[in-house]
């Protein structure tokens, strides 16, 4: 057994952080190879705490890193599709790596933006947007700002009606449109005369305002469920789980916002009732469809975290409890924003 006797490093329980040297010494004196953490009850093979664990090669926080960080971030995101396989392969012993987590969040943001661009292209297609006066500008503007409900051609043509060639003014109009302003008044001074013209927001919504609020509420389910592990110390054994695990679970849970975003784009496209529902039961549930969908995937995700990663004793119950409370938080937020459930 290779040990570093020059710099004896303290050995902690990977789940709760409890110092284990004396327990291990006592256990090994009795001739045992494995045992339980005396604080949280986690079953451990003592040798596994001394060896550098074999980290998955695709994992963005992996300590063996032959591949580029961003490539591993993409692979990690792809692995999230199978939550049980994902959390089985990640060991609690792998230390948190902020660079890895930031790379993962960057990839989630980029994929989210790409989904937005894809949705924008589909939404715009029936408006013949590429047959308008400035098709290339339309496409570029959709790539830069997919959530804007302006066509670049409308802004360029409207601005031209001011009779000015002030490119700074035109650039400012694009910035305002990209920042999701609706109908805009464009102004210029032409030969000393003030002129104004209205650029109407004519492109269809990528995600309309009520659905945006429902998406925000729905995203609270994956974003709060891992935090709720902090409220369940009893289910984690006698000890609380280390914060590093909660941080890690929260970071990878951002991936679950992506399918919710896809659903929000589809709900806007299909004109679902997202402000108020109709009177029957199914109609009443319709505005909450993103929250319900999020809860369905989060319950699987949280069960995978508690069983495969944190190795708790009642993983399904823990997963259900965290998801239920997170869903209630989401519904209460929705109710606060819309004034009714
Ligand atoms: Zn422990």
């Amino acid at each position: 057994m290779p040990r570093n006797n020059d710099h004896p490093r303290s050995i902690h329980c990977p789940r709760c952080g409890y110092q284990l040297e004396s327990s291990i010494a006592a256990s090994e004196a009795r001739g045992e190879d494995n045992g339980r953490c005396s604080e949280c009850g986690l079953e451990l093979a003592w040798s596994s705490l001394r060896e550098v664990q074999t980290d998955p090669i695709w994992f963005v926080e992996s300590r063996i890193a032959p591949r580029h960080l961003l490539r591993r971030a993409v692979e990690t995101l792809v692995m999230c599709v199978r939550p049980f396989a994902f959390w089985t392969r990640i060991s609690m012993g792998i230390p948190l790596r902020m660079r890895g987590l930031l790379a993962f969040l960057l990839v989630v943001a980029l994929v989210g933006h790409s989904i937005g661009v894809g949705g924008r292209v589909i939404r715009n297609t029936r408006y013949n947007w590429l047959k308008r006066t400035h098709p290339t500008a339309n496409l570029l503007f959709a790539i830069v700002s997919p959530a804007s409900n302006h066509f670049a051609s409308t802004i360029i043509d409207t601005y031209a009606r001011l009779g000015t060639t002030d490119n700074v003014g035109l650039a400012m109009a694009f910035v305002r449109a990209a920042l999701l302003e609706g109908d805009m008044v464009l102004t210029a001074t032409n030969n000393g005369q003030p002129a104004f013209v209205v650029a109407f927001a004519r492109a269809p919504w990528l995600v309309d305002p009520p659905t945006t609020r429902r998406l925000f509420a729905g995203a609270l389910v994956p974003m709060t469920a891992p935090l709720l592990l902090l409220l369940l110390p009893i289910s984690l054994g006698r000890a609380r789980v280390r914060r590093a695990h909660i941080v890690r679970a929260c970071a990878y849970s951002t991936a679950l916002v992506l399918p919710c975003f896809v659903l929000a784009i589809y709900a806007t496209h299909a004109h679902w009732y997202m402000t108020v529902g109709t009177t029957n039961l199914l109609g009443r549930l319709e505005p909450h469809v993103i929250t319900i969908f999020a809860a369905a995937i989060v319950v699987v995700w949280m069960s995978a975290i508690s069983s495969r990663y944190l190795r708790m004793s009642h993983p399904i119950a823990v997963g259900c409890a965290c998801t239920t409370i997170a869903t209630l938080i989401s519904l209460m937020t929705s109710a606060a924003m819309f004034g009714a459930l």
Side-chain angles (χ1 to χ4, degrees), residues 12-18 20 37-42 44 239-240:
H12 298 273
C13 166
R15 181 161 73 190
C16 70
Y18 185 71
L20 290 172
C37 165
S38 49
E39 186 71 8
C40 73
L42 179 67
L44 293 158
R240 281 178 182 275

Side-chain angles (χ1 to χ4, degrees), residues 98-283:
M98 275 306 152
R99 266 186 77 215
L101 293 182
L102 290 176
F104 182 80
L105 294 179
L106 176 68
V107 164
V108 169
L110 288 175
V111 171
H113 186 83
S114 309
I115 290 171
V117 173
R120 164 59 59 205
V121 167
I122 294 168
R123 294 284 285 142
N124 281 2
T125 301
R126 47 182 195 150
Y127 288 76
N128 285 327
W129 64 309
L130 294 179
K131 290 186 186 144
R132 288 166 186 255
T133 45
H134 301 279
T136 313
N138 274 342
L139 186 60
L140 287 176
F141 186 63
I143 291 169
V144 173
S145 180
S148 170
N149 54 346
H150 281 275
F151 289 119
S153 54
T154 316
I155 298 169
I156 296 170
D157 293 343
T158 310
Y159 199 76
R161 278 167 41 209
L162 283 170
T164 170
T165 49
D166 172 19
N167 286 330
V168 177
L170 181 61
M172 284 311 297
F174 271 113
V175 170
R176 284 166 63 191
L179 296 175
L180 314 186
E181 205 169 306
D183 297 341
M184 301 184 299
V185 178
L186 307 180
T187 56
T189 309
N190 205 0
N191 298 328
Q193 295 291 314
F196 74 92
V197 64
V198 180
F200 291 101
R202 293 194 196 282
W205 288 106
L206 178 68
V207 180
D208 60 31
T211 311
T212 302
R213 282 183 274 166
R214 298 293 187 191
L215 173 61
F216 172 75
L220 286 178
V221 184
M223 295 326 299
T224 55
L227 289 172
L228 295 168
L229 286 169
L230 289 170
L231 296 181
L232 297 165
I234 298 155
S235 65
L236 306 176
R238 287 172 293 281
R240 281 178 182 275
V241 73
R242 279 163 64 203
R243 287 218 191 97
H245 301 313
I246 307 283
V247 171
R248 178 174 280 157
C250 284
Y252 296 114
S253 299
T254 54
L256 305 192
V257 177
L258 296 175
C260 298
F261 182 40
V262 174
L263 183 61
I265 294 172
Y266 184 77
T268 301
H269 182 73
H271 302 293
W272 286 355
Y273 296 104
M274 298 305 268
T275 308
V276 284
T278 49
T279 46
N280 61 340
L281 178 67
L282 272 182

Side-chain angles (χ1 to χ4, degrees), residues 84-96:
F84 279 85
F86 180 81
W87 288 108
T88 303
R89 305 277 293 282
I90 299 171
S91 154
M92 281 186 279
I94 303 175
L96 212 59

